[in-house]
Amino acid sequence: TRATEVETSSGWKERFDAIASNADIMHSYRDLLAGSQRGAAYAKKLARKRFSPSLFVVHFGVEGSWPGIPHHMILFGPRYRELLKDIYVHGVLPRDFSIYLHHPTVTDPSMAPAGKSTFYALVPVAHMGKLTVDWEQIGPLLEKRILDEVGRRLIPDIHDRIVTKFHYAPRDFALDLNAYLGSAFSLEPVLTQSAWFRAHNRDDKISNFYLVGAGTHPGAGIPGVVGSAKATAGLMIEDLAR
């Protein structure tokens, strides 16, 4: 079996010798290969697998500069193991959280207007298959809780200083990126879903259909995704040279 062409929702279509998808892996098979036997069969298999948690991210810009806040930092909450269990196992939205705080303007001030700084605060949350809340309602409440905590620990008058803000929830991962269950990192990297057990960079049935990204070998995260791109590109070059 071979892939022959790409067609977009706008009606554009073109034929290709090889096709690589960097879309969410479930979206690639369930939606982009909809109607094909391979797409339906592998999507059904993927639905039985475990997917990684999602994220709730608050982006905000504030008045002032903050040389004492590093580019990367983690504000640990009062719990660790129990917090992970709430996210991975229980699928609840805990009252506490650990925050990864990103502060790029301390390294590159040009990323914000003069006299201002940009941040984002990230907390892991369960994916939408475990945590079935209305993010339209919960999002603003969780955003305030996170900003309150950053204010309590680092920027006391944060709400008065904020000039712009928005948040990104699991629902946004699902709607904007077609991420299955709103997962931020695709397949969970447990032993039985890692390395060879993860989706391969070249499909096992469609000989010229390739995959790249968090859901494929070797896995999620920037190093994993870059490694995936390198492996997939190498396979494509090798195959097309034959």
Side-chain angles (χ1 to χ4, degrees):
T1 304
R2 292 181 63 81
T4 58
E5 78 175 27
V6 173
E7 181 174 352
T8 68
S9 58
S10 66
W12 176 88
K13 63 175 65 176
E14 187 65 65
R15 297 182 69 84
F16 293 96
D17 295 324
I19 296 168
S21 174
N22 71 339
D24 172 82
I25 190 167
M26 177 65 91
H27 180 59
S28 292
Y29 283 97
R30 183 189 61 189
D31 304 324
L32 301 184
L33 292 176
S36 72
Q37 184 177 1
R38 173 58 172 167
Y42 199 62
K44 185 177 180 180
K45 182 178 180 180
L46 286 170
R48 296 194 295 266
K49 294 183 178 292
R50 291 166 53 178
F51 280 77
S52 295
S54 190
L55 301 172
F56 186 88
V57 190
V58 183
H59 297 262
F60 57 100
V62 298
E63 295 279 1
S65 58
W66 305 90
I69 300 178
H71 192 138
H72 305 280
M73 74 181 304
I74 296 177
L75 301 173
F76 286 103
R79 301 185 303 155
Y80 182 72
R81 187 182 300 274
E82 294 79 6
L83 179 62
L84 292 178
K85 282 186 176 179
D86 280 348
I87 295 168
Y88 280 86
V89 180
H90 303 142
V92 299
L93 188 64
R95 294 185 61 83
D96 59 315
F97 37 68
S98 289
I99 302 171
Y100 164 66
L101 189 66
H102 184 61
H103 178 206
T105 40
V106 76
T107 300
D108 182 359
S110 70
M111 295 191 70
K116 296 179 175 62
S117 300
T118 185
F119 293 85
Y120 72 69
L122 175 156
V123 301
V125 295
H127 64 59
M128 295 166 64
K130 289 182 179 288
L131 180 60
T132 56
V133 299
D134 183 351
W135 283 106
E136 291 285 335
Q137 291 187 336
I138 297 297
L141 302 177
L142 183 55
E143 175 189 278
K144 184 178 184 304
R145 285 174 52 201
I146 292 169
L147 291 174
D148 286 347
E149 184 67 7
V150 175
R152 184 181 73 84
R153 298 172 71 169
L154 292 171
I155 307 174
D157 52 352
I158 187 170
H159 292 288
D160 294 330
R161 288 181 173 274
I162 288 177
V163 294
T164 185
K165 65 177 179 176
F166 70 93
H167 63 257
Y168 206 80
R171 181 175 181 270
D172 300 302
F173 281 93
L175 293 177
D176 294 347
L177 306 175
N178 293 302
Y180 183 58
L181 302 176
S183 169
F185 305 102
S186 193
L187 293 168
E188 188 177 335
V190 293
L191 178 61
T192 55
Q193 296 181 174
S194 299
W196 180 257
F197 300 114
R198 212 167 182 82
H200 298 168
N201 304 84
R202 177 177 54 215
D203 184 78
D204 295 339
K205 303 293 184 182
I206 306 174
S207 60
N208 66 333
F209 181 62
Y210 302 83
L211 298 160
V212 63
T216 64
H217 175 74
I222 292 176
V225 170
V226 171
S228 167
K230 185 176 181 180
T232 299
L235 277 174
M236 295 181 75
I237 292 170
E238 181 181 319
D239 291 347
L240 290 168
R242 292 176 181 172

